[in-house]
Amino acid sequence: MSTEQGSHSNYRRTLGPVALTAVGLGSIIGSGWLFGAERAAAIAGPAAIVAWVIGAVVALTIALTYSELGAMFPKAGGMVRYGQYSHGSLAGYLAAWANWIAIVSVIPGEATASVQYMSSWDFSWAHGLYDGKELTGTGVAVASVLLVFYFFLNWFAITLFAKTNNAITVFKVVVPILTAGALMMAHFDTSNVKDHGGFTPNGWSAVFTAVAVSGIVWAYNGFQSPLNMAGEARNPGKSLPKAVIGSILIALVIYVALQLAFLMAVPAADLSEAGGWVNLGYDSPLADLSLAWGLNWLAMLLYADAFISPSGTGMIYAATTSRMIHGVQENGHLPGVFGKVDPKTGVPRPALLLNLAVAFMFLAVFRGWGSLAEIVSVATVISYITGPVAVMSLRRISPGLKRPVKLRAMPVIAPIAMVFGSLVLYWGRWPLTGKVILIMAVGLPVWAWYELRKPWAVLKPHLLAGAWVVAYLLVMAFVSWAGGTEFGGKGYLAPGWDVAVVAVIALVFYVWGVRSAWRNPSLVAVEKEMEQEAADEAAAEAEAAPLSKA
């Protein structure tokens, strides 16, 4: 038995479709619902409703590619493995790095959201937690306590995590629905849609930017949490797709209702005083509106939920990122200690500690929910590009692998997903896109430490197979810089043409990526492992058959 198989045997396959859907939905409904409606409205105005729908379509398309991959490889930290299986170490590492950065930075983001809502409490000490733009020193200290709490809940056992998360998720679903309904009944001013610039006060380009940076991608990114917990899933071939797709669809309904409620509940006087949607400045948006319309009970409930929703999401991401670290270690890019899983609890404790340290670093640098949302969103989109390429690459180079989920339309869905992901990356606006792509380069020294010591004959195929990822990031950075002024670029690409150029680039790199896949050692090893697992299952069934007849 391999070391990897041994470490994975310490995980407990106890999560069914309901628990996994709760993981996905609990990840999606975190701090995003507390701040996303206001931030999306500030960027896109009433058309923010459309932005949520676009975000869901993008997430669903990409999620379908990852559902096939997750069912094929039901391993802990699944999202950091697929690129490694299809293209080797360079592409695999860059995908894993982008994915990990996107997810681990959510954890301090959830803590920040809780403290930011707390600053609206009617106490002088609470007002000192947030200065209107970012957390103060005291606010950072309180957020740090929350980080420790998230990790503490994950320290003991996966069963404790599942029971706690299921209860929290029920609360997290009920409160947003209750909030949307109560605000709609309290005040529903349709003139807000007509006045102050109309439905699209900043144009349709702002709607697309809202998808990328307002927290919409941040929110829907939670669909991947069930995939990262795949090592603990019962019957992953059926439960993972249900959890991934179901959580996105449920969340879409909730987020559209919240956005509609927010748009209609904003007092006309506040909009006039602010000069439109872009200058609204609520510290605790939904709670402030509740108080404005005399819903004191709802405001109190929201203040409580400002701890529960982000804490539930922070707890989930603390769990999933630790599985991701385990996956990165098994890809060969971290010390062996981070691949250890406690045999009694089924928890990868060293990985938990590493993520706690990194979360503290993010909290120290990015102290506001908005700044973290932007970084997380763009890094998330970068991590998405390997899914569509990997799923079709593996169909080409490893057609015999068992695929519990196999969509006939995948040859069409995958390139569309690549185009959608590339467009959202472009909509993220320059120079943010450039900054996050630079962050991707920061992780390369770790890859170099482990890989450049290998003989050239061994290293060369990994470099050739991963070259498309590096080239893609450089080309997308250039297009973002040269693109339309409405997306922060220099204006060298006319509106409409820029979208067409990004779509063509996405398809070119999709074809390059699929053609550059190869049967690398990681893929060969996992094929053998899966063959052995299938043989063991068949032997167990054959042994049980005579007993059942008797």
Side-chain angles (χ1 to χ4, degrees), residues 360-374:
F360 279 133
M361 292 172 60
F362 269 97
L363 181 61
V365 176
F366 302 103
R367 298 184 174 194
W369 188 89
S371 59
L372 268 167
E374 291 180 348

Side-chain angles (χ1 to χ4, degrees), residues 187-428:
H187 189 76
F188 199 81
D189 189 353
T190 55
S191 65
N192 285 354
V193 176
K194 303 173 186 177
D195 301 334
H196 308 286
F199 188 67
T200 56
N202 302 315
W204 282 102
S205 62
V207 177
F208 301 135
T209 296
V211 174
V213 301
S214 70
I216 292 175
V217 169
W218 170 322
Y220 287 127
N221 187 41
F223 79 78
Q224 64 173 276
S225 288
L227 299 174
N228 284 320
M229 302 291 286
E232 289 125 302
R234 293 196 311 265
N235 195 0
K238 292 184 178 180
S239 57
L240 286 175
K242 289 180 181 178
V244 170
I245 296 169
S247 60
I248 293 174
L249 293 177
I250 295 170
L252 169 62
V253 174
I254 293 172
Y255 275 118
V256 168
L258 282 166
Q259 186 68 67
L260 184 63
F262 176 85
L263 292 168
M264 305 307 177
V266 172
D270 286 4
L271 271 173
S272 298
E273 184 179 346
W277 296 101
V278 70
N279 294 316
L280 282 177
Y282 298 119
D283 289 342
S284 308
L286 297 174
D288 290 347
L289 289 180
S290 300
L291 292 173
W293 300 114
L295 302 175
N296 292 2
W297 63 270
L298 181 59
M300 295 301 103
L301 184 61
L302 286 167
Y303 287 137
D305 191 69
F307 277 102
I308 295 172
S309 282
S311 294
T313 303
M315 179 185 71
I316 293 170
Y317 278 116
T320 58
T321 50
S322 65
R323 276 67 175 176
M324 292 168 72
I325 286 295
H326 187 177
V328 172
Q329 186 278 321
E330 289 180 344
N331 286 346
H333 299 131
L334 279 176
V337 65
F338 295 113
K340 292 186 176 180
V341 179
D342 183 73
K344 293 182 179 179
T345 62
V347 175
R349 287 178 168 176
L352 269 177
L353 291 172
L354 175 63
N355 283 320
L356 177 59
V358 174
F360 279 133
M361 292 172 60
F362 269 97
L363 181 61
V365 176
F366 302 103
R367 298 184 174 194
W369 188 89
S371 59
L372 268 167
E374 291 180 348
I375 296 293
V376 170
S377 297
V378 177
T380 295
V381 174
I382 292 175
S383 73
Y384 283 166
I385 64 166
T386 53
V389 174
V391 71
M392 292 309 298
S393 295
L394 289 167
R395 284 194 179 190
R396 182 177 69 84
I397 63 176
S398 187
L401 271 174
K402 182 181 178 182
R403 288 170 169 82
V405 176
K406 187 176 182 180
L407 299 179
R408 291 183 179 180
M410 189 60 73
V412 176
I413 293 171
I416 291 175
M418 183 73 173
V419 171
F420 282 174
S422 300
L423 286 173
V424 175
L425 176 58
Y426 175 69
W427 296 338

